[in-house]
Amino acid sequence: MLGAMEAPVVMVGSDAVEVERRLLAGELVCPCGGGLAPWGHARRRPVRGVGDLRPRRARCGSCSVTHVLLAVSCLLRRADGVDVIGAALLAKATGAGHRPIAVWLERPVSTVRGWLRAFAGNAETARSMFTGLLVRLDPLTGPLPVRRGVVADAVEAVGACAAAARRRLGVLGAVSPWQLSAAVTGGRLLAPSLSAVSINTSRPLGGAV
Ligand SMILES: [Zn+2]
């Protein structure tokens, strides 16, 4: 179970106009399979690297649960876009420390250290989650190269999954590997609840594409 403090989230694309169109057209679905209808907005918040977001809320006509529609460019409760955070994780996987990464990305050292620690805590879960998805997307895929540790292995698995999704689905032109990771994890790549996330393998990208 996810914590009571975490609103149910449905991942959507980054284009607010397109999200609105799909919501009104009934194209966005709840994890239960029911159709989502507009239900106001969540609190406006700035996301560095993305812009000012005012996420849509939507309510399921079947199970009556209200969801926040979170853009795949974001992670839950992180003030930076997932591509910036992913750049830090990739740098860490190649051996960089949090201080040079913070200078490079022009973010506070404490913020970058927080991302790296949170991801390190989730790395084994993420590695296993993305490796499993990779096999589903591409059953003929070979074993991934073993990197220098579980963080690097997890980053490798995210990248391999994105490449496989692009080959298999052919719909990822506008979705980066890290946005894919946000979509697959329901925005919880760095959240303590990642281990409770179950991938919808028939629709791993949710409403994101
Ligand atoms: Zn539902």
Side-chain angles (χ1 to χ4, degrees):
M1 282 295 291
L2 298 172
M5 295 296 290
E6 289 190 344
V9 165
V10 168
M11 301 306 290
V12 294
S14 301
D15 181 339
V17 173
E18 175 66 6
V19 168
E20 193 67 18
R21 185 197 67 74
R22 295 185 68 189
L23 183 59
L24 293 172
E27 292 177 13
L28 297 179
V29 296
C30 178
C32 84
L36 292 173
W39 197 258
H41 290 84
R43 184 171 54 86
R44 185 183 297 277
R45 65 169 179 137
V47 178
R48 288 192 294 262
V50 174
D52 234 16
L53 291 188
R54 190 169 170 241
R56 220 12 170 143
R57 283 185 183 279
R59 189 165 180 268
C60 174
S62 296
C63 71
S64 300
V65 169
T66 305
H67 300 271
V68 173
L69 304 185
L70 186 67
V72 292
S73 48
C74 303
L75 294 176
L76 275 182
R77 294 199 208 138
R78 297 286 163 177
D80 291 271
V82 71
D83 284 319
V84 173
I85 294 172
L89 301 178
L90 190 56
K92 174 68 179 174
T94 60
H98 62 271
R99 289 180 192 281
I101 295 173
V103 170
W104 171 50
L105 294 174
E106 300 178 340
R107 297 294 191 274
V109 169
S110 58
T111 300
V112 171
R113 192 170 50 213
W115 300 339
L116 300 183
R117 279 188 182 161
F119 188 71
N122 278 347
E124 184 53 45
T125 303
R127 188 199 60 75
S128 135
M129 185 179 264
F130 284 96
T131 304
L133 180 59
L134 175 61
V135 172
R136 287 195 160 88
L137 287 167
D138 183 1
L140 298 179
T141 191
L144 292 173
V146 175
R147 300 295 178 186
R148 64 163 71 195
V150 66
V151 165
D153 287 343
V155 167
E156 177 82 27
V158 168
C161 241
R166 197 173 293 121
R167 289 194 301 272
R168 168 82 179 267
L169 306 171
V171 289
L172 287 169
V175 178
S176 74
W178 293 105
Q179 292 180 5
L180 173 88
S181 79
V184 167
T185 62
R188 294 182 164 83
L189 186 66
L190 301 186
S193 56
L194 179 64
S195 56
V197 171
S198 59
I199 296 177
N200 179 344
T201 51
S202 61
R203 303 182 69 251
L205 303 183
V209 291

